[in-house]
Amino acid sequence: MRATRVIRRSLIAAIAASALALTGCSATQDAATGVGEAAKDAATGEAAKNAATATGQAALAPALNPVLDLLRTSEGQVKAGKLSEAIAGMGGFQALWNTAAPIIQPIAGDKWPMINTAANLVLSTFAKGATPTAANAGSAITGLIGPLSALMTK
């Protein structure tokens, strides 16, 4: 009977050790699977980010080009000494900016505050009733053309 107890205890110990070993293997396998999944998620996230950037860039040009065209036309008028024509043309800037800004903002990322500040300067320079000088008008326009043009080459 004593031999049976020893065998039973040995058998229980062996079963417990086997169960622990299997659980350990399972945990190791789960951990490895988790690392693999994390790597796959990271790769998928990067692919999604790249696709979103490409989509954003595709949407950016149609929104940004009319704004840049108006700014460049007005800049040329200011340089040519036709300030009144530039002021008249910039009357349409607010509407163009209201359409383009929501598309530009997410693409601009950390450059958005600078772009928004430059756009606000253009808006205040050419606001109804404002009387910009050629220097003010040219500076405001140039200050916005630069960062907006940089977005197109991103």
Side-chain angles (χ1 to χ4, degrees), residues 36-52:
E37 289 297 318
K40 188 168 104 178
D41 290 346
T44 303
E46 188 64 30
K49 181 180 174 187
N50 291 340

Side-chain angles (χ1 to χ4, degrees), residues 85-115:
E85 289 179 25
I87 292 170
M90 288 300 291
F93 178 76
Q94 177 78 54
L96 285 174
W97 186 246
N98 288 345
T99 301
I103 297 167
I104 295 168
Q105 184 176 3
I107 296 168
D110 62 346
K111 292 178 179 37
W112 174 249
M114 176 183 59
I115 291 169

Side-chain angles (χ1 to χ4, degrees), residues 9-21:
R9 285 183 184 167
S10 296
L11 185 58
I12 291 172
I15 291 171
S18 296
L20 288 174

Side-chain angles (χ1 to χ4, degrees), residues 3-70:
T4 308
R5 268 190 200 164
V6 171
I7 293 173
R8 186 182 306 158
R9 285 183 184 167
S10 296
L11 185 58
I12 291 172
I15 291 171
S18 296
L20 288 174
L22 289 175
T23 302
C25 289
S26 177
T28 303
Q29 184 179 11
D30 290 345
T33 300
V35 170
E37 289 297 318
K40 188 168 104 178
D41 290 346
T44 303
E46 188 64 30
K49 181 180 174 187
N50 291 340
T53 299
T55 302
Q57 288 292 348
L60 182 63
L64 195 53
N65 284 336
V67 174
L68 284 171
D69 290 344
L70 176 61

